[in-house]
Amino acid sequence: MRPMSAIALEHPRTRTTAVRGGIGRALLFVLVLAALWGLWEGYRWLWIREGWTKPFVVNDITMPHLYGIFHQLFVPARVNGPQLITLLCHSALFTAKEAAVGFGIGATVGFALGVILSHFGVLRRGLLPYVVASQTIPIIAIAPIVVVGLGNYNIAAWLRVAVIAAYLTFFPVTVNTLRGLQSADPRAIELMHSYAAGGWAILWKLRVPSALPYLFSAFKVSATASVVGAIIGEAPSSIPDGLGGAIINFNQYYTLEPKNLWATNLVAACLGIFFFLAVVVVERLVVRRAPEHLA
Amino acid sequence: MSAGTPDAVVSIQSLSKVFGKGGVTALQDIGLEVERGEFVSLIGPSGCGKSTLLRIVGDIIEPTSGTVSVNGKPARRARLDRDYGIVFQAPVLYDWRTVAKNIALPLEMLGWDRGRRADRVKEMVELVDLSGFEGYHPWQLSGGMQQRVSIARAFSFSPALLLMDEPFGALDEMTRERLNLELLRIWDEIGSTIIFVTHSITEAVFLSTRVVVMSARPGRIAGIVRVDLPQPRTAITREDPRFFELVTEVREQLHAVGADEVLEEATLQ
C-alpha cells in the first residue's frame, strides 16, 4: 500500500463498545426510574405519617400508590368490560393518528414558511412578528375556533384536531429552518456560485442539508408538542375516542377513582416519548454528520 | 474583447479594489496576464490582497475598477460558463456527502448523468490516490486526504482555470510537500492553468512557472520572478542550486517591499 494509506482513520465504534453502551444506558434508565419511584412513595409515606398538609394534603386521592396506578391498567374499566389498558391503547392509537397527521402538516408548513421567510427579507421582517404572536395565543382559545370553523367545511373531526396539533408544531420548525438555512458555510456557498449554481440548487444541495441538524432539533420539540396539541384539541371537539376524551371522562370521576386518570397520563406520556424516539431514529438514519456537529 | 496575447487565459488590466466607501485600498493598478498551461503563484505579506485578487478573478467579489477577462470573456461570463475550479485553504467538503459524492457535486451541477459521473469520479479518485475511500465521509479522513478530495472536486469538470487559495496552508510540512508533488503531476496530466496563492516562498518557487511578488497596503505587483527550473519537478528539484538562487531572489524582492513576516516564516523553515 502507498504510504498515505497509513494515515489513521477515525475508527468506527466496534460492536462490543456499542453493546456495552446500550447496557449502560438501560441500567441508568432503570436506576433513574427506581429513584423516581422511591421519591414518590417516600414523599407519600412521610407526609401521611407526619400529617403534613403543605403544599397539599397527601392521601390516596392526590397521590395514589404507583403500583396501584400500574395495577389499574389491568383492571376492567367497566363491569365485564375490557381492561383499562385495552381502552387506553385504542384511545392512544386514535390520538396518535391525529398527532402524526398534525405533525406532518405542521412540519411541512413550518419548513416551507421557514424557506420562504429566509429567502425574502421583506417578508421575514414583516411576517415574523405575527408568526411569533401566533404562539402567544393559548391553544385552548384557538382550538374551538378551528374546530367549529373547519366543521363548516365537512372536514372529519379528527382531521380538525390534527390542524390544532399542526398549529402547535409548525413554529419551532419555522424558527429552526430559518436558522439552519443560514448556517451553511459561506465558502461552500461561494463554491456553489463558482459552479454557476442557481438559488434552487444551492437551497436543496447545500442549505437544506446544512439545516438538517437544526430541523431535527425542532422535530423533537414538535413531535411531543403535536401529541399535546392533539389531546387538547379533542376537548372542544367533544371527541370521545382519543386520550383527550379519556382524560376529560376520568377527570369527572377523579374523586371516585383517581388511578384511572393517572394511568391515562402515563399512557399519554408514553405516546409522547414514542413520538420523540421516532424522530431520533429517523435522525440517526438521515443525518450524516461528524459526531461533534450533531445538534 | 480585451487586449492581450491570444493565448492568455487570464488578462487583468489596471485593476483596483477599495473596500468600503473611501476605505482601504486592497489592490491598486494590477496588471497581469496568465498564459495557457501556466502555474502562477501569488506571494506577499498578509493584507497584500493576494486572496482578494484571486477572488476577483473568480468573480466571487467585484473589482472597484479595471477589467478581468478569462478565456477572452468577462469574469462573470466565465464563471457562468464554469471555467473555474476553486480550492480553498479549508477543504470545504459537504459532511453529509461521501468522498465520491463530494467529487461528483460540480458534475451534478453540470447535469451529467449518473453513469458519466461515476466514470469521472472513478478517474478522479485514482488521480488523487484515494481509491478505496469513495464511501467514506469527510470527517473520517485526515486533513491531507480531505484536501485531496477538494482538489479532485475542483479538477473533476476539467475547468480551464484553477484558483487555489493557500490550499496546503493548514497542512503539516510533510503532507504539504507530498501534495505539492501530486498537484504538479495532476497539473501535468490534465494540462490546466493554475493561479496559486501561498505564504511559502519555497512552495511558490517549487510549483510555479512564475512567481508574482506583491506588496501590502495598497496591494501592488512588486515584481515577477520567472522560474526556469526544468519540468517535471521532483524531490531532487529542491536540492538544485538554481532552486536556492530563485528562492533567494523571491526573498529579496519580498524584503524590498518590507514583507518581514513572510521572511520570518521562511527563516523558521
Side-chain angles (χ1 to χ4, degrees):
Chain A
M1 286 296 264
R2 315 233 172 164
M4 46 139 293
S5 312
I7 293 167
L9 289 166
E10 183 184 303
H11 286 288
R13 285 174 63 187
T14 59
R15 187 169 301 226
T16 39
T17 54
V19 168
R20 213 171 290 156
I23 291 173
R25 214 178 290 178
L27 209 67
L28 190 69
F29 177 76
V30 171
L31 266 174
V32 171
L33 202 65
L36 288 174
W37 191 300
L39 213 61
W40 174 282
E41 292 294 343
Y43 184 96
R44 197 180 179 280
W45 175 79
L46 190 65
W47 256 246
I48 290 174
R49 202 188 74 131
E50 299 293 327
W52 290 336
T53 55
K54 299 267 167 64
F56 58 87
V57 179
V58 172
N59 54 33
D60 281 342
I61 308 281
T62 53
M63 282 180 87
H65 281 294
L66 280 184
Y67 61 80
I69 294 171
F70 280 106
H71 181 254
Q72 190 70 18
L73 285 170
F74 305 100
V75 170
R78 269 177 250 107
V79 184
N80 291 330
Q83 292 176 340
L84 180 63
I85 192 164
T86 317
L87 284 181
L88 287 180
C89 279
H90 281 120
S91 304
L93 224 59
F94 184 84
T95 300
K97 181 174 71 172
E98 295 165 339
V101 171
F103 175 78
I105 297 172
T108 310
V109 170
F111 174 74
L113 192 61
V115 170
I116 291 168
L117 292 186
S118 97
H119 205 74
F120 302 103
V122 182
L123 280 182
R124 183 167 60 246
R125 285 185 291 278
L127 280 182
L128 205 54
Y130 297 99
V131 174
V132 175
S134 76
Q135 298 301 301
T136 63
I137 304 167
I139 193 70
I140 46 166
I142 296 279
I145 301 171
V146 174
V147 166
V148 174
L150 290 180
N152 295 337
Y153 294 95
N154 248 345
I155 292 171
W158 70 268
L159 204 56
R160 287 179 255 158
V161 176
V163 171
I164 292 164
Y167 188 86
L168 273 187
T169 307
F170 88 97
F171 183 69
V173 179
T174 299
V175 171
N176 276 27
T177 302
L178 266 172
R179 254 198 82 188
L181 293 177
Q182 304 298 332
S183 76
D185 186 341
R187 290 161 310 178
I189 294 172
E190 288 178 0
L191 205 62
M192 292 298 267
H193 282 304
S194 82
Y195 306 142
W200 196 249
I202 292 178
L203 177 69
W204 288 109
K205 290 199 188 284
L206 176 61
R207 287 194 189 273
V208 170
S210 302
L212 278 182
Y214 293 84
L215 274 175
F216 274 96
S217 297
F219 289 160
K220 284 176 203 161
V221 177
S222 296
T224 44
S226 71
V227 174
V228 174
I231 290 173
I232 293 176
E234 284 169 8
S237 344
S238 313
I239 296 177
D241 311 320
L243 286 175
I247 285 171
I248 286 174
N249 183 26
F250 292 139
N251 238 332
Q252 287 163 349
Y253 301 103
Y254 185 75
T255 42
L256 287 176
E257 184 44 276
K259 292 198 286 283
N260 277 338
L261 185 64
W262 282 99
T264 311
N265 290 348
L266 206 64
V267 171
C270 286
L271 184 61
I273 291 167
F274 172 77
F275 266 60
F276 180 86
L277 289 179
V279 173
V280 171
V281 168
V282 175
E283 180 182 32
R284 287 270 166 86
L285 295 174
V286 169
V287 181
R288 290 245 152 249
R289 212 57 57 90
E292 67 269 22
H293 289 158
L294 281 174
Chain B
M1 284 289 290
S2 61
T5 51
D7 220 20
V9 174
V10 181
S11 175
I12 302 167
Q13 277 165 353
S14 46
L15 180 121
S16 298
K17 175 71 187 177
V18 180
F19 282 110
K21 276 182 190 146
V24 192
T25 306
L27 293 169
Q28 198 172 56
D29 198 28
I30 303 283
L32 182 69
E33 304 240 314
V34 179
E35 283 172 29
R36 198 164 304 284
E38 261 199 301
F39 194 129
V40 172
S41 285
L42 308 178
I43 193 168
S46 9
C48 73
K50 51 194 191 294
S51 287
T52 305
L53 180 58
L54 196 77
R55 292 155 77 84
I56 290 174
V57 173
D59 191 43
I60 295 172
I61 52 177
E62 286 183 43
T64 308
S65 63
T67 58
V68 177
S69 65
V70 177
N71 283 339
K73 299 173 279 194
R76 166 82 28 100
R77 186 70 251 154
R79 174 171 68 79
L80 295 178
D81 288 348
R82 297 169 173 116
D83 285 349
Y84 311 115
I86 294 183
V87 179
F88 297 103
Q89 180 169 357
V92 195
L93 301 174
Y94 290 9
D95 262 357
W96 52 91
R97 284 175 171 249
T98 60
V99 166
K101 289 207 146 185
N102 264 290
I103 297 173
L105 178 70
L107 307 178
E108 287 173 24
M109 297 293 141
L110 265 71
W112 288 24
D113 63 52
R114 192 177 293 266
R116 203 166 156 221
R117 288 206 301 263
D119 289 346
R120 177 55 65 89
V121 166
K122 189 166 180 292
E123 272 173 47
M124 296 316 295
V125 164
E126 278 165 15
L127 191 70
V128 296
D129 212 358
L130 280 177
S131 300
F133 293 101
E134 293 88 339
Y136 282 72
H137 283 269
W139 33 272
Q140 295 173 306
L141 305 177
S142 71
M145 291 162 95
Q146 290 182 14
Q147 199 56 289
R148 260 202 263 277
V149 177
S150 159
I151 290 170
R153 179 181 58 189
F155 276 105
S156 66
F157 57 109
S158 316
L161 177 64
L162 212 73
L163 304 172
M164 307 183 88
D165 192 356
E166 296 194 49
F168 308 135
L171 303 177
D172 63 84
E173 196 61 24
M174 278 163 63
T175 311
R176 174 187 271 218
E177 286 193 5
R178 197 168 57 229
L179 287 189
N180 279 346
L181 281 170
E182 278 193 37
L183 178 61
L184 285 178
R185 176 174 58 80
I186 296 168
W187 172 61
D188 191 48
E189 273 180 43
I190 293 193
S192 65
T193 309
I194 296 179
I195 301 182
F196 189 95
V197 167
T198 178
H199 250 106
S200 159
I201 300 173
T202 47
E203 185 176 59
V205 171
F206 181 71
L207 293 174
S208 313
T209 52
R210 274 193 301 160
V211 178
V212 176
V213 179
M214 295 180 69
S215 68
R217 293 180 199 92
R220 274 190 217 143
I221 293 181
I224 295 180
V225 177
R226 188 165 286 281
V227 182
D228 49 9
L229 292 165
Q231 300 278 6
R233 311 232 167 113
T234 62
I236 310 294
T237 309
R238 291 185 208 275
E239 288 153 28
D240 192 322
R242 182 68 189 139
F243 176 72
F244 291 110
E245 281 172 33
L246 288 162
V247 166
T248 308
E249 197 179 332
V250 173
R251 182 174 294 145
E252 276 167 3
Q253 290 211 13
L254 278 168
H255 193 68
V257 300
D260 293 326
E261 43 167 316
V262 182
L263 297 175
E264 261 169 45
E265 237 172 74
T267 29
L268 282 175
Q269 290 167 12

